[in-house]
Amino acid sequence: MSSEKRYYVTTPIYYVNGRPHIGSGLTTLCCDFLKRYHAMRGRETWFLTGTDENATKNQEAAQEAGVEALEFVTGLAEEFRSAWRAMNYAFDDFIRTTEPRHVRAVQEVFRRLRDSGDLYRGMYEGWYCVSDETFFRDTDVKEDRLCPNDECRKPLRRVQEENYFFRLSAYGDRLLAHIEANPEFLQPDFRRNEVIAFIKQGLRDASVTRANNGWGIPVPDEPDKVIYVWFDALINYLAATGWPDDEEMYRSLWPADAHMMAKEIFVRFHATLWPAMLMALGLPLPRQVYAHGWWVSSEGKKEGKRTGGLPHPVEMAADIQQRAGAASELAVDAVRYLLLREMVFHGDSEFSRESFLRRYNTDLANDLGNLGNRTVAMVGRYLGGEVPRPAPDPEVGAFVRAAVEDYEVAVREFRFNAALEAAMRIVAHMNKVIEHRAPWALAKQGRTEELADVLYTCLEAVRVVSVLIAPAMPATSQALRANLGMADAAESPAWDEALQLGLLQPGTRVASPRPLFPRIQDVAPAQSAPSPAPSPAPAAVEKREEKPMGTPSTEPVSAGPATITFDDFAKLDLRVARVVEVEPVPNATKLLKLTVDLGTETRTILAGIAEMYQPDELKDKLIVVVANLQPRKMRGIESQGMLLAADVDGQAIILQPETQVPPGSRVR
Ligand code: MSP
């Protein structure tokens, strides 16, 4: 390990009395985002996550399951580790509090603070909440003897034992002074104010041991006591730096740059107890401590963070993979994007599968996937697949710069949703630029210089977007860059690349467009439980919604329907037709109304191709239609057949006979 101070980011260590879900998945994702973002900015980074295993509630969960405690926690720790790997979280270390390195650090902290007088013995009489792993005094508790935490309300246990206390009361003023002198320390601001109010109420010394019931880290030289799980757990951040034995590693990591978590463990534990413990040890405090709100499911709302009903993130990815037929790593990216984009970071967000899937369709299938693909497709069609000479549009340049600045501010404030919104703003803007500048019309009119300029700007904007989305969607970023023909597509991009337009080299060959995010046809809740992990091959997509005729299917080739007999196929009357007239359909952005000559008759056909074709360019073209499809009315117009088109990530590319054939010819 180099001795340069790394950007060191941590998740809370998760209790292993339950499975991972999108709540714990979110905090871990935020850390992964920060790690990747700072690495792209040239920092050496270190990302720590892990599991909190010495809690009484873990021991009790093991007892309930009838399994030996260590075996039980080991199984769940592995489940967390593999879930985070499957979500492509690039953690550098995974600490388990049953590991010797952690036990060693915790016992050393205990020894030092006992020696310095910061820990002293006393009688503790009061209440303990196993679910929250928190002590409560008589004065905190009402007659109902339920946990005073509104989100918990579980029955409390009476505790009377000789314990060690930590002299927390001695650190109130120093903590307040530190908070005041370092406004960045506790984030967001309104939560910092909660901490200040909490400290100003007066801090009481905290009980930091419990009677040894066979689970937990023993107090050095006093095996009848174990160290209170929160006192033990917080030390993981220090233990993972190699403290107290590995000076070099410690120096390269400590102090942590960001401790990330949700609000319920912020005020008492991470913003008060932990900094006071570090002050008592004479060690520097973390640079920033940030708490986001919760994902709550509508069913689990009353249960607070123990949110029954929140899905496992890997299962969500499998669901998306199945519904959309997306590649597994891109389905994982989609979940990563949706978790960050749908979260209101400084508050709580209610989880809804349906709104996730809807946003998948709008942001990823329609906007991002479409921009990436149509840009590369047009460079293929109009410029022979080569990046033209650099001529980025200054208006787009200014728009992109403003969005990048907003993105950077948002990340500094841990508003990951706003950062991604800034990235997607560029995408939406470029889709508008394309509609407005209509490269297909420029091509038709032979305005080749203008066409090259527009497409160069589009390519560059896609490149910048590939940089901005990389911390959230690393696989998508790579795929976009590979489509742009970038030689270093497999590597994570450098942040500076987002700061200027004009980097793509003329003559670079773009790839053939590769569909990234096929649309999900059915956003209704899943009918059956999804498989636990995404499999590498796209699974069949079930389609329940009918689409307008001529709307391209987004089904991947491998996800097609079951085989049919030749007789079934023979029922289709496929014919070549000549386009006679084309008109837009009022109030339908995607539809065109085609009048086609079928040799013996003229028909009206509606086709969802307005985004790819201008009415003019279709006139006189030969196309292929399904001639015996039952007529169907859309927007008050009867469509008497369906045009056939290839689907390239939601864009329709019409099929045409290779040479001139008479209209009405049968297609077999
Ligand atoms: N073991 C302690 C933390 C010790 S850190 C030294 C603990 N564990 S926990 O398993 O309950 O995890 C709590 C953390 O998981 C939250 O602070 C948050 O980071 C994440 N989340 C758990 N449920 C969540 C939601 N429903 N929504 C958002 N984050 C959630 O507390």
Side-chain angles (χ1 to χ4, degrees), residues 12-15 21 23-24 26-27 52 57 230 233-234 236-237 260-265 270 292-296 304-305 307 310:
I13 44 173
Y14 301 109
Y15 288 130
H21 54 63
S24 42
L26 174 74
T27 318
D52 189 352
K57 60 172 156 185
W230 265 104
L234 288 161
N236 89 87
Y237 304 128
M260 305 291 287
M261 71 209 66
K263 60 186 183 180
E264 81 289 352
I265 57 175
H270 283 84
H292 56 69
W294 285 336
W295 271 119
V296 288
K305 75 169 170 170
T307 36
L310 285 185

Side-chain angles (χ1 to χ4, degrees), residues 229 369 481 641:
V229 68
R481 295 164 75 77

